[in-house]
Coordinates of all heavy atoms in Angstrom, one line a residue:
M29 N -13.6 -0.4 10.9 CA -12.9 0.9 10.9 C -11.9 1.0 9.7 O -11.4 0.0 9.2 CB -12.2 1.1 12.2 CG -11.4 2.3 12.3 SD -11.3 3.0 13.9 CE -10.7 4.6 13.6
L30 N -11.7 2.2 9.3 CA -10.7 2.5 8.2 C -9.3 2.6 8.8 O -9.1 3.1 10.0 CB -11.0 3.7 7.4 CG -12.3 3.7 6.6 CD1 -12.5 5.1 5.9 CD2 -12.3 2.6 5.6
Y31 N -8.3 2.1 8.1 CA -6.9 2.2 8.4 C -6.1 2.7 7.3 O -6.3 2.3 6.1 CB -6.4 0.9 8.9 CG -7.0 0.4 10.2 CD1 -8.2 -0.3 10.1 CD2 -6.6 0.8 11.4 CE1 -8.9 -0.6 11.3 CE2 -7.2 0.5 12.6 CZ -8.4 -0.3 12.5 OH -9.0 -0.6 13.6
A32 N -5.1 3.6 7.5 CA -4.2 4.0 6.5 C -2.9 3.2 6.7 O -2.3 3.1 7.8 CB -3.8 5.5 6.8
I33 N -2.5 2.6 5.6 CA -1.2 1.8 5.6 C -0.2 2.6 4.7 O -0.4 2.8 3.6 CB -1.5 0.4 5.0 CG1 -2.5 -0.3 5.8 CG2 -0.2 -0.4 4.9 CD1 -3.1 -1.6 5.2
I34 N 0.8 3.2 5.4 CA 1.7 4.1 4.8 C 3.0 3.4 4.7 O 3.7 3.1 5.8 CB 1.8 5.4 5.7 CG1 0.4 5.9 5.9 CG2 2.7 6.4 5.0 CD1 0.3 6.8 7.2
S35 N 3.5 3.1 3.5 CA 4.7 2.4 3.3 C 5.8 3.3 2.7 O 5.6 4.1 1.9 CB 4.4 1.2 2.4 OG 3.3 0.5 2.9
Q36 N 7.0 3.0 3.2 CA 8.2 3.7 2.7 C 9.1 2.7 2.1 O 9.5 1.7 2.6 CB 9.0 4.3 3.9 CG 10.3 5.0 3.6 CD 10.1 6.5 3.4 OE1 9.2 7.1 4.0 NE2 11.0 7.1 2.7
D37 N 9.5 3.0 0.8 CA 10.4 2.1 0.0 C 11.8 2.2 0.5 O 12.3 3.2 1.0 CB 10.4 2.5 -1.4 CG 9.1 1.9 -2.2 OD1 8.1 1.7 -1.5 OD2 9.2 1.9 -3.4
V38 N 12.5 1.1 0.2 CA 14.0 1.1 0.3 C 14.5 1.9 -0.8 O 13.8 2.2 -1.8 CB 14.6 -0.3 0.3 CG1 14.1 -1.1 1.5 CG2 14.3 -1.0 -1.0
E39 N 15.8 2.3 -0.8 CA 16.4 3.0 -2.0 C 16.4 2.0 -3.2 O 16.6 0.8 -3.0 CB 17.8 3.4 -1.6 CG 17.9 4.5 -0.6 CD 17.3 5.8 -1.0 OE1 17.5 6.1 -2.2 OE2 16.7 6.5 -0.2
E40 N 16.3 2.5 -4.4 CA 16.4 1.7 -5.5 C 15.4 0.5 -5.6 O 15.8 -0.6 -5.9 CB 17.9 1.2 -5.7 CG 18.9 2.2 -5.7 CD 18.8 3.2 -6.9 OE1 18.4 2.8 -8.0 OE2 19.1 4.4 -6.7
S41 N 14.2 0.8 -5.3 CA 13.2 -0.3 -5.1 C 12.5 -0.6 -6.5 O 11.7 -1.6 -6.5 CB 12.1 0.1 -4.1 OG 11.4 1.3 -4.6
L42 N 12.7 0.1 -7.5 CA 11.9 0.0 -8.7 C 11.9 -1.5 -9.3 O 10.8 -2.0 -9.6 CB 12.3 1.0 -9.8 CG 11.4 1.0 -11.0 CD1 10.0 1.4 -10.6 CD2 11.9 2.1 -12.0
E43 N 13.0 -2.1 -9.5 CA 12.9 -3.5 -10.0 C 12.3 -4.5 -9.1 O 11.6 -5.3 -9.5 CB 14.4 -3.9 -10.3 CG 15.0 -3.1 -11.5 CD 14.1 -3.2 -12.7 OE1 13.6 -4.2 -13.2 OE2 14.0 -2.1 -13.3
K44 N 12.5 -4.3 -7.8 CA 11.7 -5.2 -6.9 C 10.3 -5.0 -6.9 O 9.5 -5.9 -6.9 CB 12.2 -4.9 -5.4 CG 13.6 -5.3 -5.2 CD 14.1 -4.9 -3.8 CE 15.6 -5.2 -3.6 NZ 16.0 -4.9 -2.2
R45 N 9.9 -3.7 -7.1 CA 8.4 -3.4 -7.2 C 7.9 -4.0 -8.4 O 6.7 -4.6 -8.5 CB 8.2 -1.8 -7.3 CG 8.0 -1.1 -6.1 CD 7.8 0.4 -6.4 NE 7.4 1.0 -5.2 CZ 6.1 1.2 -4.8 NH1 5.1 0.8 -5.5 NH2 5.9 1.8 -3.6
R46 N 8.6 -3.9 -9.6 CA 8.1 -4.5 -10.9 C 7.8 -6.0 -10.7 O 6.9 -6.5 -11.2 CB 9.0 -4.2 -12.0 CG 9.0 -2.7 -12.4 CD 9.9 -2.4 -13.5 NE 9.8 -1.1 -14.0 CZ 10.8 -0.4 -14.5 NH1 12.0 -1.0 -14.7 NH2 10.6 0.9 -14.9
A47 N 8.7 -6.7 -10.0 CA 8.7 -8.1 -10.0 C 7.5 -8.6 -9.1 O 6.8 -9.5 -9.4 CB 10.0 -8.6 -9.4
A48 N 7.2 -7.8 -8.0 CA 6.2 -8.2 -7.0 C 4.8 -7.6 -7.3 O 3.9 -7.9 -6.6 CB 6.7 -7.9 -5.7
R49 N 4.8 -6.6 -8.3 CA 3.6 -5.9 -8.5 C 2.3 -6.7 -8.8 O 1.2 -6.4 -8.2 CB 3.8 -4.8 -9.6 CG 2.7 -3.9 -9.8 CD 3.1 -2.7 -10.8 NE 2.1 -1.6 -10.7 CZ 1.1 -1.5 -11.6 NH1 0.9 -2.4 -12.5 NH2 0.3 -0.5 -11.4
P50 N 2.4 -7.7 -9.6 CA 1.1 -8.5 -9.9 C 0.5 -9.1 -8.6 O -0.7 -9.0 -8.4 CB 1.6 -9.6 -10.9 CG 2.7 -9.0 -11.6 CD 3.5 -8.2 -10.5
A51 N 1.3 -9.6 -7.7 CA 0.8 -10.2 -6.5 C 0.3 -9.1 -5.6 O -0.7 -9.3 -4.9 CB 1.9 -11.1 -5.9
H52 N 1.1 -8.0 -5.5 CA 0.7 -6.9 -4.7 C -0.7 -6.4 -5.1 O -1.6 -6.2 -4.3 CB 1.8 -5.8 -4.8 CG 1.4 -4.4 -4.2 ND1 1.5 -4.2 -2.9 CD2 1.0 -3.3 -4.8 CE1 1.1 -3.0 -2.6 NE2 0.9 -2.4 -3.8
L53 N -0.9 -6.1 -6.4 CA -2.1 -5.6 -6.9 C -3.3 -6.6 -6.7 O -4.4 -6.1 -6.4 CB -2.0 -5.2 -8.4 CG -1.2 -4.0 -8.7 CD1 -1.1 -3.8 -10.2 CD2 -1.7 -2.8 -8.0
A54 N -3.0 -7.8 -6.8 CA -4.1 -8.9 -6.7 C -4.7 -8.7 -5.3 O -5.9 -8.8 -5.1 CB -3.6 -10.2 -6.9
R55 N -3.8 -8.5 -4.3 CA -4.3 -8.4 -2.9 C -5.2 -7.1 -2.7 O -6.3 -7.1 -2.0 CB -3.2 -8.3 -1.8 CG -2.5 -9.6 -1.8 CD -1.3 -9.5 -0.8 NE -1.8 -9.7 0.6 CZ -1.7 -8.8 1.5 NH1 -1.1 -7.7 1.3 NH2 -2.2 -9.0 2.7
I56 N -4.8 -6.0 -3.3 CA -5.5 -4.8 -3.2 C -6.8 -4.9 -4.0 O -7.9 -4.4 -3.6 CB -4.6 -3.6 -3.8 CG1 -3.5 -3.4 -2.8 CG2 -5.5 -2.3 -3.8 CD1 -2.4 -2.4 -3.2
E57 N -6.8 -5.6 -5.1 CA -8.0 -5.8 -5.9 C -9.1 -6.6 -5.1 O -10.3 -6.4 -5.2 CB -7.7 -6.5 -7.2 CG -7.0 -5.5 -8.2 CD -6.4 -6.2 -9.4 OE1 -6.4 -7.5 -9.5 OE2 -6.0 -5.4 -10.3
R58 N -8.6 -7.6 -4.3 CA -9.5 -8.3 -3.4 C -10.2 -7.4 -2.4 O -11.4 -7.5 -2.2 CB -8.8 -9.4 -2.7 CG -8.6 -10.7 -3.6 CD -8.2 -11.9 -2.8 NE -6.9 -11.8 -2.1 CZ -5.7 -12.0 -2.6 NH1 -5.6 -12.3 -3.9 NH2 -4.6 -11.9 -1.8
L59 N -9.4 -6.4 -1.9 CA -10.0 -5.5 -1.0 C -11.1 -4.7 -1.7 O -12.2 -4.5 -1.1 CB -9.0 -4.5 -0.4 CG -8.0 -5.0 0.7 CD1 -7.0 -3.9 1.0 CD2 -8.7 -5.5 1.9
R60 N -10.8 -4.3 -2.9 CA -11.8 -3.5 -3.7 C -13.0 -4.4 -4.0 O -14.1 -3.9 -3.8 CB -11.1 -3.1 -5.1 CG -12.1 -2.3 -6.0 CD -11.6 -2.4 -7.4 NE -11.7 -3.7 -7.9 CZ -10.8 -4.2 -8.9 NH1 -10.0 -3.4 -9.6 NH2 -10.9 -5.5 -9.3
D61 N -12.8 -5.6 -4.4 CA -13.9 -6.5 -4.7 C -14.8 -6.8 -3.5 O -16.0 -7.0 -3.6 CB -13.4 -7.8 -5.3 CG -12.7 -7.6 -6.7 OD1 -12.9 -6.4 -7.3 OD2 -12.1 -8.5 -7.1
E62 N -14.2 -6.7 -2.3 CA -14.9 -6.9 -1.1 C -15.6 -5.6 -0.6 O -16.3 -5.6 0.4 CB -14.0 -7.4 0.0 CG -13.5 -8.8 -0.3 CD -12.4 -9.3 0.7 OE1 -11.9 -8.4 1.5 OE2 -11.8 -10.3 0.5
G63 N -15.4 -4.5 -1.3 CA -15.9 -3.2 -0.9 C -15.3 -2.6 0.3 O -15.8 -1.7 0.9
R64 N -14.0 -2.9 0.5 CA -13.3 -2.5 1.7 C -12.2 -1.4 1.4 O -11.7 -0.8 2.2 CB -12.6 -3.6 2.4 CG -13.7 -4.6 2.9 CD -13.0 -5.9 3.5 NE -11.9 -5.7 4.3 CZ -10.9 -6.6 4.4 NH1 -11.0 -7.8 3.9 NH2 -9.9 -6.3 5.2
L65 N -12.0 -1.2 0.1 CA -10.9 -0.3 -0.3 C -11.4 1.1 -0.6 O -12.4 1.3 -1.2 CB -10.2 -0.8 -1.6 CG -9.1 0.0 -2.1 CD1 -7.9 0.0 -1.2 CD2 -8.7 -0.5 -3.5
V66 N -10.8 2.1 0.1 CA -11.1 3.5 -0.2 C -10.2 4.1 -1.2 O -10.7 4.7 -2.2 CB -10.9 4.4 1.1 CG1 -11.2 5.8 0.8 CG2 -12.0 3.9 2.2
L67 N -8.9 3.9 -1.2 CA -8.0 4.3 -2.2 C -6.7 3.6 -2.0 O -6.3 3.1 -0.9 CB -7.7 5.8 -2.2 CG -7.1 6.4 -0.9 CD1 -5.7 6.4 -1.0 CD2 -7.6 7.8 -0.7
A68 N -5.9 3.5 -3.0 CA -4.5 2.9 -3.0 C -3.7 3.4 -4.1 O -4.2 3.7 -5.2 CB -4.6 1.4 -3.1
G69 N -2.4 3.6 -3.9 CA -1.5 4.0 -4.9 C -0.1 4.3 -4.4 O 0.1 4.4 -3.1
P70 N 0.8 4.4 -5.3 CA 2.2 4.8 -4.9 C 2.5 6.2 -4.9 O 1.8 7.1 -5.3 CB 3.0 4.1 -6.1 CG 2.1 4.3 -7.2 CD 0.7 4.2 -6.7
H71 N 3.6 6.6 -4.2 CA 4.2 7.9 -4.2 C 5.3 8.1 -5.1 O 6.4 7.5 -4.9 CB 4.7 8.2 -2.7 CG 3.7 8.1 -1.6 ND1 2.6 9.0 -1.4 CD2 3.5 7.2 -0.7 CE1 1.9 8.7 -0.4 NE2 2.4 7.6 0.1
P72 N 5.1 8.7 -6.2 CA 6.2 8.9 -7.2 C 7.4 9.7 -6.6 O 7.2 10.5 -5.8 CB 5.6 9.7 -8.4 CG 4.1 9.5 -8.2 CD 3.8 9.4 -6.7
A73 N 8.6 9.3 -7.0 CA 9.8 9.9 -6.5 C 10.0 11.3 -7.0 O 10.7 12.1 -6.4 CB 11.0 9.0 -6.8
V74 N 9.3 11.6 -8.2 CA 9.4 13.0 -8.7 C 8.0 13.4 -9.0 O 7.0 12.7 -9.0 CB 10.2 12.9 -10.1 CG1 11.7 12.6 -9.8 CG2 9.6 12.0 -11.1
D75 N 7.8 14.7 -9.2 CA 6.5 15.3 -9.4 C 5.9 15.0 -10.8 O 5.9 15.8 -11.7 CB 6.7 16.8 -9.3 CG 5.3 17.6 -9.2 OD1 4.3 16.9 -9.1 OD2 5.3 18.8 -9.3
S76 N 5.5 13.7 -10.9 CA 4.9 13.2 -12.2 C 4.2 12.0 -12.0 O 4.6 11.1 -11.1 CB 6.1 12.9 -13.1 OG 5.6 12.3 -14.3
P77 N 3.0 11.8 -12.6 CA 2.3 10.6 -12.4 C 3.0 9.3 -13.0 O 2.8 8.2 -12.6 CB 1.0 10.7 -13.2 CG 1.2 11.9 -14.1 CD 2.4 12.7 -13.5
D78 N 4.0 9.5 -13.9 CA 4.8 8.5 -14.4 C 6.3 8.9 -14.2 O 6.9 9.5 -15.0 CB 4.5 8.2 -15.9 CG 5.4 7.1 -16.5 OD1 6.1 6.4 -15.7 OD2 5.3 6.9 -17.7
P79 N 6.8 8.4 -13.0 CA 8.1 8.8 -12.7 C 9.3 8.2 -13.4 O 10.5 8.5 -13.2 CB 8.3 8.5 -11.2 CG 7.4 7.3 -11.0 CD 6.2 7.6 -12.0
G80 N 9.0 7.2 -14.3 CA 9.9 6.5 -15.1 C 11.0 5.9 -14.2 O 10.7 5.3 -13.1
A81 N 12.3 6.0 -14.5 CA 13.4 5.4 -13.8 C 13.6 5.9 -12.4 O 14.2 5.3 -11.5 CB 14.7 5.5 -14.5
A82 N 13.0 7.1 -12.1 CA 13.0 7.6 -10.7 C 12.3 6.7 -9.7 O 12.7 6.7 -8.5 CB 12.5 9.1 -10.6
G83 N 11.3 6.0 -10.2 CA 10.6 5.1 -9.4 C 9.7 5.8 -8.3 O 9.1 6.8 -8.6
F84 N 9.5 5.1 -7.2 CA 8.6 5.5 -6.2 C 9.2 5.5 -4.8 O 10.3 4.8 -4.6 CB 7.4 4.5 -6.2 CG 6.6 4.5 -7.5 CD1 7.0 3.5 -8.5 CD2 5.7 5.4 -7.8 CE1 6.4 3.5 -9.7 CE2 5.0 5.3 -9.0 CZ 5.4 4.5 -10.0
T85 N 8.6 6.2 -3.9 CA 9.2 6.3 -2.5 C 8.4 5.6 -1.5 O 8.8 5.5 -0.4 CB 9.4 7.8 -2.1 OG1 8.0 8.3 -2.1 CG2 10.3 8.6 -3.0
G86 N 7.2 5.1 -1.9 CA 6.3 4.4 -1.0 C 5.0 4.3 -1.6 O 4.8 4.5 -2.7
S87 N 4.1 3.9 -0.7 CA 2.6 3.6 -1.1 C 1.7 4.0 0.0 O 2.1 4.1 1.2 CB 2.4 2.1 -1.4 OG 3.3 1.7 -2.4
L88 N 0.5 4.2 -0.4 CA -0.6 4.4 0.6 C -1.8 3.6 0.3 O -2.2 3.5 -0.9 CB -1.0 5.9 0.6 CG -2.3 6.3 1.3 CD1 -2.0 6.1 2.9 CD2 -2.7 7.7 1.1
V89 N -2.3 2.9 1.3 CA -3.6 2.1 1.1 C -4.5 2.5 2.2 O -4.1 2.6 3.4 CB -3.3 0.6 1.2 CG1 -4.7 -0.2 1.2 CG2 -2.5 0.1 0.1
V90 N -5.7 2.9 2.0 CA -6.7 3.2 2.9 C -7.8 2.2 2.7 O -8.4 2.2 1.6 CB -7.2 4.6 2.9 CG1 -8.4 4.9 3.9 CG2 -6.1 5.7 3.1
A91 N -8.1 1.4 3.8 CA -9.1 0.3 3.6 C -9.7 0.0 5.0 O -9.2 0.3 6.0 CB -8.4 -1.0 3.0
E92 N -10.8 -0.7 4.9 CA -11.5 -1.1 6.1 C -11.0 -2.5 6.6 O -10.9 -3.5 5.8 CB -13.0 -1.2 5.8 CG -13.8 -1.6 7.0 CD -15.3 -1.6 6.6 OE1 -15.7 -1.1 5.5 OE2 -16.1 -2.2 7.4
F93 N -10.8 -2.5 7.9 CA -10.4 -3.8 8.6 C -11.1 -3.9 9.9 O -11.6 -2.9 10.4 CB -8.9 -3.8 8.8 CG -8.1 -3.9 7.6 CD1 -7.6 -2.8 7.0 CD2 -7.7 -5.1 7.0 CE1 -6.8 -2.9 5.8 CE2 -7.0 -5.2 5.8 CZ -6.5 -4.1 5.2
A94 N -11.3 -5.1 10.4 CA -12.0 -5.3 11.6 C -11.3 -4.7 12.8 O -12.0 -4.4 13.9 CB -12.3 -6.7 11.8
S95 N -10.0 -4.6 12.7 CA -9.1 -4.1 13.8 C -7.8 -3.7 13.4 O -7.4 -4.0 12.2 CB -9.0 -5.2 14.9 OG -8.1 -6.3 14.4
L96 N -7.1 -3.0 14.2 CA -5.8 -2.5 13.9 C -4.9 -3.7 13.7 O -4.1 -3.7 12.8 CB -5.2 -1.6 15.1 CG -3.8 -1.2 14.9 CD1 -3.6 -0.3 13.7 CD2 -3.4 -0.3 16.2
A97 N -5.0 -4.7 14.5 CA -4.2 -5.9 14.4 C -4.4 -6.5 13.0 O -3.4 -7.0 12.5 CB -4.5 -6.9 15.6
Q98 N -5.6 -6.6 12.6 CA -5.9 -7.2 11.3 C -5.3 -6.4 10.2 O -4.7 -7.0 9.2 CB -7.4 -7.5 11.1 CG -7.9 -8.6 11.8 CD -9.3 -8.9 11.5 OE1 -10.0 -8.3 10.7 NE2 -9.9 -9.9 12.3
A99 N -5.4 -5.1 10.3 CA -4.7 -4.2 9.3 C -3.2 -4.4 9.3 O -2.6 -4.4 8.2 CB -5.1 -2.8 9.6
Q100 N -2.7 -4.5 10.5 CA -1.2 -4.7 10.5 C -0.8 -6.0 10.0 O 0.2 -6.1 9.3 CB -0.7 -4.5 12.0 CG -0.8 -3.2 12.6 CD -0.6 -3.1 14.1 OE1 -1.1 -4.0 14.8 NE2 0.0 -2.0 14.5
Q101 N -1.6 -7.1 10.3 CA -1.3 -8.4 9.7 C -1.4 -8.3 8.2 O -0.5 -9.0 7.5 CB -2.3 -9.4 10.2 CG -2.0 -10.8 9.7 CD -2.9 -11.8 10.3 OE1 -3.6 -11.6 11.2 NE2 -2.8 -13.1 9.8
W102 N -2.4 -7.7 7.6 CA -2.6 -7.6 6.1 C -1.3 -6.9 5.6 O -0.8 -7.4 4.5 CB -3.8 -6.8 5.9 CG -4.2 -6.8 4.4 CD1 -4.9 -7.8 3.7 CD2 -3.7 -5.8 3.4 NE1 -5.0 -7.4 2.4 CE2 -4.2 -6.3 2.1 CE3 -3.0 -4.7 3.5 CZ2 -4.0 -5.5 1.0 CZ3 -2.7 -4.0 2.4 CH2 -3.2 -4.4 1.1
A103 N -0.9 -5.8 6.2 CA 0.3 -5.1 5.7 C 1.5 -5.9 5.8 O 2.3 -5.9 4.9 CB 0.4 -3.8 6.5
A104 N 1.7 -6.7 6.8 CA 2.9 -7.5 7.0 C 2.9 -8.6 5.9 O 4.1 -9.1 5.6 CB 2.9 -8.1 8.4
E105 N 1.8 -9.0 5.4 CA 1.8 -10.1 4.4 C 1.8 -9.5 3.0 O 1.7 -10.4 2.0 CB 0.5 -11.0 4.7 CG 0.6 -11.7 5.9 CD -0.8 -12.3 6.4 OE1 -1.8 -12.1 5.6 OE2 -0.8 -13.0 7.4
D106 N 2.0 -8.3 2.8 CA 2.1 -7.7 1.4 C 3.3 -8.3 0.7 O 4.4 -8.4 1.2 CB 2.2 -6.2 1.5 CG 2.0 -5.5 0.2 OD1 2.7 -5.9 -0.8 OD2 1.2 -4.6 0.1
P107 N 3.1 -8.7 -0.5 CA 4.2 -9.2 -1.4 C 5.4 -8.2 -1.5 O 6.5 -8.7 -1.7 CB 3.6 -9.5 -2.8 CG 2.1 -9.8 -2.4 CD 1.8 -8.9 -1.3
Y108 N 5.1 -6.9 -1.4 CA 6.2 -6.0 -1.4 C 7.1 -6.1 -0.2 O 8.3 -5.9 -0.2 CB 5.7 -4.6 -1.5 CG 5.3 -4.1 -2.9 CD1 4.7 -2.9 -3.1 CD2 5.5 -4.9 -4.0 CE1 4.4 -2.4 -4.3 CE2 5.1 -4.4 -5.2 CZ 4.6 -3.2 -5.4 OH 4.3 -2.8 -6.7
M109 N 6.5 -6.6 0.9 CA 7.4 -6.9 2.1 C 8.3 -8.0 1.8 O 9.5 -7.9 2.1 CB 6.5 -7.2 3.3 CG 5.7 -6.0 3.8 SD 6.7 -4.7 4.6 CE 7.3 -5.5 6.1
D110 N 7.7 -9.1 1.3 CA 8.6 -10.3 1.0 C 9.6 -10.0 0.0 O 10.7 -10.6 0.0 CB 7.7 -11.4 0.5 CG 6.8 -12.0 1.6 OD1 7.0 -11.8 2.8 OD2 5.7 -12.6 1.2
A111 N 9.4 -9.1 -1.0 CA 10.3 -8.8 -2.0 C 11.3 -7.7 -1.6 O 12.3 -7.4 -2.4 CB 9.5 -8.2 -3.2
G112 N 11.2 -7.2 -0.4 CA 12.2 -6.2 0.1 C 11.9 -4.8 -0.5 O 12.9 -4.0 -0.5
V113 N 10.7 -4.5 -0.9 CA 10.5 -3.2 -1.5 C 10.3 -2.2 -0.3 O 10.8 -1.1 -0.5 CB 9.1 -3.2 -2.3 CG1 8.7 -1.8 -2.7 CG2 9.3 -4.1 -3.5
Y114 N 9.7 -2.5 0.7 CA 9.3 -1.6 1.8 C 10.5 -1.7 2.9 O 10.8 -2.7 3.4 CB 8.0 -1.9 2.5 CG 6.8 -1.7 1.6 CD1 5.7 -2.4 1.8 CD2 6.8 -0.7 0.6 CE1 4.5 -2.2 1.0 CE2 5.7 -0.4 -0.2 CZ 4.6 -1.2 0.0 OH 3.4 -0.9 -0.7
A115 N 10.9 -0.5 3.3 CA 11.8 -0.4 4.5 C 11.0 -0.2 5.7 O 11.5 -0.8 6.8 CB 12.7 0.9 4.3
R116 N 9.9 0.4 5.6 CA 9.1 0.6 6.8 C 7.6 0.8 6.5 O 7.3 1.3 5.4 CB 9.6 1.9 7.4 CG 8.8 2.4 8.7 CD 9.5 3.6 9.3 NE 9.5 4.8 8.5 CZ 10.6 5.4 7.9 NH1 11.7 4.8 8.2 NH2 10.5 6.4 7.1
V117 N 6.7 0.2 7.3 CA 5.3 0.3 7.1 C 4.7 0.8 8.4 O 4.9 0.2 9.5 CB 4.7 -1.0 6.7 CG1 3.2 -0.9 6.6 CG2 5.3 -1.4 5.4
T118 N 3.8 1.8 8.3 CA 3.0 2.4 9.5 C 1.6 2.1 9.2 O 1.1 2.4 8.1 CB 3.3 3.9 9.7 OG1 4.8 4.1 9.8 CG2 2.6 4.4 10.9
V119 N 0.9 1.6 10.2 CA -0.6 1.4 10.0 C -1.2 2.2 11.1 O -0.9 2.2 12.3 CB -0.9 -0.1 10.2 CG1 -2.4 -0.3 10.0 CG2 -0.2 -0.9 9.2
K120 N -2.2 3.1 10.7 CA -2.9 4.0 11.7 C -4.3 4.0 11.4 O -4.8 3.9 10.3 CB -2.4 5.4 11.4 CG -0.9 5.7 11.6 CD -0.7 7.2 11.4 CE 0.7 7.5 11.7 NZ 0.9 9.0 11.6
P121 N -5.2 4.0 12.5 CA -6.6 4.3 12.3 C -6.8 5.6 11.5 O -6.0 6.5 11.6 CB -7.1 4.4 13.7 CG -6.1 3.8 14.6 CD -4.8 4.0 13.9
F122 N -7.9 5.6 10.7 CA -8.1 6.7 9.8 C -9.6 7.0 9.8 O -10.4 6.1 9.7 CB -7.8 6.3 8.4 CG -8.0 7.4 7.4 CD1 -7.0 8.4 7.2 CD2 -9.1 7.4 6.5 CE1 -7.2 9.4 6.3 CE2 -9.3 8.4 5.6 CZ -8.3 9.4 5.5
N123 N -9.9 8.3 10.1 CA -11.3 8.7 10.1 C -11.5 9.6 8.8 O -11.0 10.6 8.5 CB -11.6 9.7 11.3 CG -11.8 8.9 12.5 OD1 -12.2 7.8 12.5 ND2 -11.5 9.5 13.6
R124 N -12.4 9.0 7.9 CA -12.7 9.7 6.7 C -13.7 10.8 7.0 O -14.8 10.6 7.6 CB -13.4 8.7 5.7 CG -13.6 9.3 4.4 CD -14.2 8.2 3.5 NE -14.4 8.8 2.1 CZ -14.7 8.0 1.1 NH1 -14.7 6.7 1.2 NH2 -14.9 8.6 -0.1
V125 N -13.4 12.0 6.5 CA -14.2 13.2 6.7 C -14.8 13.6 5.4 O -16.1 13.8 5.2 CB -13.5 14.3 7.4 CG1 -14.3 15.6 7.4 CG2 -13.0 14.0 8.7
L126 N -14.0 13.7 4.4 CA -14.5 14.1 3.0 C -13.8 13.2 2.0 O -12.7 12.8 2.2 CB -14.1 15.5 2.7 CG -14.8 16.6 3.6 CD1 -14.1 17.9 3.3 CD2 -16.2 16.7 3.3
P127 N -14.4 13.0 0.9 CA -15.8 13.2 0.5 C -16.7 12.3 1.2 O -16.3 11.1 1.6 CB -15.8 13.1 -1.0 CG -14.7 12.2 -1.3 CD -13.7 12.4 -0.2

């Protein structure tokens, strides 16, 4: 089943994000390589694809996992969690309708 992993950053997370980004992306790339990733990306803090110093307010990952518990475990092990980037993470089942 698909799950949406919706993450909310702490304030002033940009430097923490930059430091942990390579490890964070490597995990998402593994999902992609396994054919389990639907989409992933950050939420810019301003209305721009490149928010610069404004940074980001969170992230969204939609991917396939065997269960809600496995999706929650995957989210809990994200390098951004260890680096203190995320203040809160919500994991929800997701039904893809389009496309």
Side-chain angles (χ1 to χ4, degrees):
M29 174 149 194
L30 295 178
Y31 294 89
I33 301 170
I34 307 153
S35 307
Q36 175 98 25
D37 282 21
V38 298
E39 294 291 325
E40 306 294 327
S41 65
L42 188 56
E43 290 308 314
K44 293 176 183 179
R45 270 182 171 270
R46 286 181 177 150
R49 189 170 191 262
H52 169 78
L53 288 179
R55 293 180 80 238
I56 294 172
E57 289 167 351
R58 280 194 299 275
L59 287 176
R60 179 200 61 203
D61 294 347
E62 294 168 359
R64 298 169 44 203
L65 181 66
V66 174
L67 64 89
H71 301 286
V74 295
D75 190 13
S76 172
D78 181 5
F84 301 91
T85 62
S87 301
L88 171 65
V89 174
V90 178
E92 183 179 346
F93 293 91
S95 67
L96 176 60
Q98 286 186 4
Q100 290 169 326
Q101 180 179 350
W102 187 90
E105 295 170 355
D106 191 305
Y108 279 177
M109 292 293 290
D110 292 338
V113 173
Y114 293 150
R116 176 175 63 250
V117 177
T118 303
V119 181
K120 298 180 177 187
F122 181 80
N123 284 330
R124 183 177 181 169
V125 175
L126 294 170

